[in-house]
Amino acid sequence: AQSVTQPDIHITVSEGASLELRCNYSYGATPYLFWYVQSPGQGLQLLLKYFSGDTLVQGIKGFEAEFKRSQSSFNLRKPSVHWSDAAEYFCAVGPGNNNDMRFGAGTRLTVKP
Amino acid sequence: DTAVSQTPKYLVTQMGNDKSIKCEQNLGHDTMYWYKQDSKKFLKIMFSYNNKELIINETVPNRFSPKSPDKAHLNLHINSLELGDSAVYFCASSQVYNLQETQYFGPGTRLLVL
């Protein structure tokens, strides 16, 4: 069965600094991989997704992620963080048996002024 | 203009009660979903409906029943509420039943069972 691990529960970065959020997955074949963002009190919004092809994926809001099969990772990056990026970030993998996706536990990002 | 909307936003109720949460999408999507997010922020799929047909039913107690009066609506009815049902429930929709299609989430309904 597929699973996702987000090793960092909470990360704090300074505004303007670079960001990398880690995501490791377990999946028997080539996975579908996703990053979602959840702002306080809001639903989830898709940042980017990977199905096949180029392993470096560009998303919205200046985010990118790189699929590394050898490391079973799909880390999310942003070169310069803005205060509005403070949120909870979820990595997800699929498809599962029911064509669903399995979410990680999330990483909470705090941005210092 | 809200794409996926849920009502109510907050719901506080007593153990043993029956309650419903409503979800509507105006995107013309064929598939709708219900997710549960627990107190540790862990998000798990509960149900999926595609053209009014139930697709996914994870290990969810039968006290939970999704009802879809039409393609644009997927309501969640919960019988005999328990303390452990306290969570945030998210509705989502996608164009078709395919994980390559983006899922659009509602703002969530925060349920507290006392």
Side-chain angles (χ1 to χ4, degrees), chain B residues 1 4 8-9 39 45 48 51 54 57 63 69 79 84-85 102 105 113:
Chain B
D1 278 289
V4 182
K9 189 171 183 178
S39 58
I45 184 77
S48 174
N51 283 329
L54 180 65
N57 186 348
R63 298 182 295 103
N79 289 327
D85 297 333
T102 298
F105 283 75
V113 182

Side-chain angles (χ1 to χ4, degrees), chain A residues 64-79:
Chain A
E64 67 177 26
E66 187 170 10
F67 169 57
K68 292 185 177 180
R69 185 188 300 275
S70 61
Q71 299 177 20
S72 297
S73 69
F74 189 58
N75 295 347
L76 182 71
R77 300 193 295 251
K78 186 170 184 177

Side-chain angles (χ1 to χ4, degrees), chain A:
Chain A
Q2 77 270 32
S3 66
V4 178
T5 302
Q6 294 181 246
D8 305 305
I9 297 173
H10 184 204
I11 283 184
T12 299
V13 299
S14 298
E15 191 168 15
S18 64
L19 171 70
E20 182 169 27
L21 301 181
R22 296 185 290 165
C23 173
N24 294 100
Y25 69 88
S26 174
Y27 194 78
T30 299
Y32 294 174
L33 293 160
F34 309 83
W35 273 101
Y36 282 85
V37 61
Q38 182 180 24
S39 298
Q42 302 296 316
L44 279 73
Q45 182 183 22
L46 180 68
L47 286 175
L48 47 79
K49 55 189 177 183
Y50 170 81
F51 301 133
S52 63
D54 193 346
T55 56
L56 185 61
V57 181
Q58 301 297 321
I60 62 171
K61 303 185 180 186
F63 286 93
E64 67 177 26
E66 187 170 10
F67 169 57
K68 292 185 177 180
R69 185 188 300 275
S70 61
Q71 299 177 20
S72 297
S73 69
F74 189 58
N75 295 347
L76 182 71
R77 300 193 295 251
K78 186 170 184 177
S80 178
V81 169
H82 188 261
W83 63 266
S84 61
D85 293 325
E88 191 91 22
Y89 290 81
F90 293 93
C91 182
V93 66
N97 291 334
N98 292 316
N99 202 28
D100 60 331
M101 54 184 166
R102 194 70 48 103
F103 285 85
T107 296
R108 183 160 63 94
L109 174 66
T110 297
V111 180
K112 293 190 303 183

